[in-house]
Amino acid sequence: MATKEIDSSWVVQKYGGTSLGKLLDTISGTIVPGFLEKFRVAIVCSARSGTSKSKGTTSLLLECINHAMTPGAASMKKLDSIIDTIRDEHLHTLSSEIGGGDDEAKIRTGEGAATSIAEDCEQLREFLHAAQTVGELSPRSQDRVLAVGEKLACRIMASSLESNGISAEVVLLDDIVERAYATSVREQEAAYDKLGSHFFEALAEEIGKRIMSCEDRVPVLTGFFGAMPYSLLQSVGHGYSDLCAAMCAVGIGARELQVWKEVDGIFTADPTKVESARLLLTVTAEEASELTYYGSEVIHPLTMEQIRKANIPLRLKNVKNPAGAGTIIYPSSTPSGSGSPLNCSPSLLHTVPRSGSSTPLSTFMIANGYHGESQQRRTPTAVTVKDSIVVINVLSHRNTKSHGFLAQLFERLDHHKVVVDLITTSEKSISLAVSASALASDGTLAIRRVTEDIEKLGTVTITEKMAIVSVVGHKMRNMVGVAGEVFSTLAGARVNIYLISQGASEINISFVVKEAEALLAMNIVHEKVLKIPAHSEQENSFIKGL
């Protein structure tokens, strides 16, 4: 699909479940109206969250799936009770958002949305009752159950906008895959296997058509975009609503994609663990992807790929601080003929320099530590930690060439669906860092099963309660001495390293330490390698007037 021409009038905004559950008034009453003064806005919604994750809509729907797959009257009763809870909570929220009064238009809007919410829940009930009777619920069917949460969130969002005088329309994407490709599941799977990530280009085009059909109304789209081949959770994974938002932006050629969270953007480290962590006004797309994989939950990797191809900037914003600049991520390369990024100012609501203006993009990037066309940095950008890691060491006891040993090992890991985060290897031995959550929910039992299988290849040792610390920086391989500085700093703090890996992406240096020492490692690297003084040092400098 050819890159769509940038439409400077459109901004796509994606809101997470926590924001929709706690800050809907701010979104529909302040943020969206503010952007509508200058731009057209399309909104993508995740399922609403409750006061805790266990009480969120998605968690409740997962409980529904479990009960639907368990035969018996008791499970049926629990299933009905949970669906009633989901329905009643959304109807209560709707009533609170629309409010009372004598405005007939608001009353009609509220009544229409309430009817739709009740119908959605009853359809869900009938579907799950049938599934329990049959005794089967396929992964694709489970996807459709989870999609109900986003559908309900969109109905409340649209009604809230309407109550604020903004014409809005709910856009459901349940059938988007069938429209873009074929109704046959086999044909869809064949297309997905052949196209890979290019599969999403046709979906983006179809979503763009849906958005444009809303005319002057604000499109409110579900983050769920149809039953994907092999199921959405298996094909894309969690965070698929971010990918949906990216496809919306690509489909309409938006000037910017915004992902709204409850934090100001991307920081040099987790600000809840490192007091001196600083907000980064910009990072590269590669850095954002790497930070996401190693624990920072920045953005879904497929999201970055889609907007990079279309040359669309992505901005992370804080619902609690709408006026804040946030963090902007520019495409690392400009596709042929697509022009330059449209916005290189800290805030979209402020001055928007164009190509050739007195504030070019290169000046903005240099001011934030990125130099030249390759955007090299002189110090790393951020440090992040991924907890709950298990280190598996395997020493081969066979007279086997390394390629045969490795092939057999990874075949067994694949059988157990184990995803490896880090790896170091030699001719006869290999060390793997694996997320404990990736092994299975039954923890120790899963580790034992994996160990028993790979012990056929050699001597296996397991070390639990470890953590991966990743130092991330664009083109970091070209930073002379940075690896030595990292490890000498850790040695000075008496932090022992169990595994070291430098990614082929030139983006990160990662190493494994004890989970109990991960916080110390992150803080010391943040201070000594990223050159950001500790919070106490900053206070002392302020007192001294430095």
Side-chain angles (χ1 to χ4, degrees), residues 359-435:
T359 313
L361 176 60
S362 59
T363 303
F364 175 71
M365 297 303 289
I366 289 171
N368 286 280
Y370 296 90
H371 302 271
E373 291 185 7
S374 61
Q375 297 182 341
Q376 292 185 6
R377 289 185 60 86
R378 292 168 185 168
T379 59
T381 304
V383 57
T384 186
V385 169
K386 188 173 186 179
D387 293 319
S388 302
I389 295 297
V390 175
V391 173
I392 304 173
N393 297 302
V394 187
L395 176 63
S396 175
H397 53 50
R398 296 183 182 182
N399 187 21
T400 308
K401 292 294 184 182
S402 63
H403 65 270
F405 166 56
L406 294 176
Q408 293 176 55
L409 174 63
F410 279 98
E411 183 180 352
R412 283 166 167 75
L413 292 174
D414 182 62
H415 174 72
H416 292 282
K417 294 182 168 50
V418 174
V419 178
V420 178
D421 288 330
L422 292 180
I423 177 174
T424 58
T425 183
S426 65
E427 183 76 16
K428 293 291 184 179
S429 65
I430 185 170
S431 295
L432 311 167
V434 177
S435 174

Side-chain angles (χ1 to χ4, degrees), residues 183-234:
T183 55
S184 165
V185 175
R186 284 189 177 181
E187 290 181 49
Q188 293 173 19
E189 291 176 350
Y192 182 75
D193 291 338
K194 178 181 179 181
L195 297 172
S197 62
H198 293 287
F199 181 88
F200 301 106
E201 294 174 1
L203 301 187
E205 188 172 344
E206 189 66 33
I207 292 171
K209 293 176 184 176
R210 299 277 179 98
I211 292 174
M212 292 303 183
S213 69
C214 293
E215 298 178 344
D216 60 344
R217 298 178 294 279
V218 173
V220 182
L221 302 98
T222 57
F224 175 82
F225 51 90
M228 280 283 293
Y230 310 110
S231 99
L232 186 58
L233 287 177
Q234 289 183 28

Side-chain angles (χ1 to χ4, degrees), residues 72 76 94 150 192 201 216 258 280 313 352 404 433-434 443 452 510 516:
M76 182 80 78
L94 178 68
E150 286 154 4
Y192 182 75
E201 294 174 1
D216 60 344
Q258 298 175 351
L280 294 162
V352 182
V434 177
E452 288 174 354
S510 295

Side-chain angles (χ1 to χ4, degrees), residues 171-344:
V171 180
L172 305 179
L173 303 176
D174 302 58
D175 63 341
I176 208 76
V177 177
E178 289 89 340
R179 290 294 185 93
Y181 288 95
T183 55
S184 165
V185 175
R186 284 189 177 181
E187 290 181 49
Q188 293 173 19
E189 291 176 350
Y192 182 75
D193 291 338
K194 178 181 179 181
L195 297 172
S197 62
H198 293 287
F199 181 88
F200 301 106
E201 294 174 1
L203 301 187
E205 188 172 344
E206 189 66 33
I207 292 171
K209 293 176 184 176
R210 299 277 179 98
I211 292 174
M212 292 303 183
S213 69
C214 293
E215 298 178 344
D216 60 344
R217 298 178 294 279
V218 173
V220 182
L221 302 98
T222 57
F224 175 82
F225 51 90
M228 280 283 293
Y230 310 110
S231 99
L232 186 58
L233 287 177
Q234 289 183 28
S235 300
V236 178
H238 295 286
Y240 57 78
S241 56
D242 286 347
L243 174 58
C244 182
M247 290 192 293
C248 292
V250 172
I252 58 177
R255 73 179 293 142
E256 185 169 287
L257 168 62
Q258 298 175 351
V259 176
W260 290 76
K261 297 175 177 282
E262 292 73 52
V263 293
D264 283 326
I266 301 174
F267 285 78
T268 52
D270 185 341
T272 64
K273 297 177 180 178
V274 180
E275 290 186 4
S276 58
R278 295 177 180 175
L279 176 67
L280 294 162
L281 289 180
T282 187
V283 297
T284 67
E286 291 83 2
E287 287 172 329
S289 296
E290 207 79 1
L291 287 167
T292 297
Y293 188 81
Y294 287 107
S296 291
E297 297 185 8
V298 176
I299 205 73
H300 194 286
L302 281 173
T303 302
M304 301 306 309
E305 184 176 347
Q306 295 300 309
I307 61 172
R308 185 166 57 234
K309 290 177 184 176
N311 199 35
I312 296 173
L314 180 148
R315 191 185 299 270
L316 301 175
K317 296 272 286 179
N318 189 352
V319 179
K320 296 178 181 179
N321 180 27
T327 299
I328 190 163
I329 304 167
Y330 287 104
S332 295
S333 59
T334 302
S336 178
S338 63
S340 301
L342 292 173
N343 174 16
C344 46

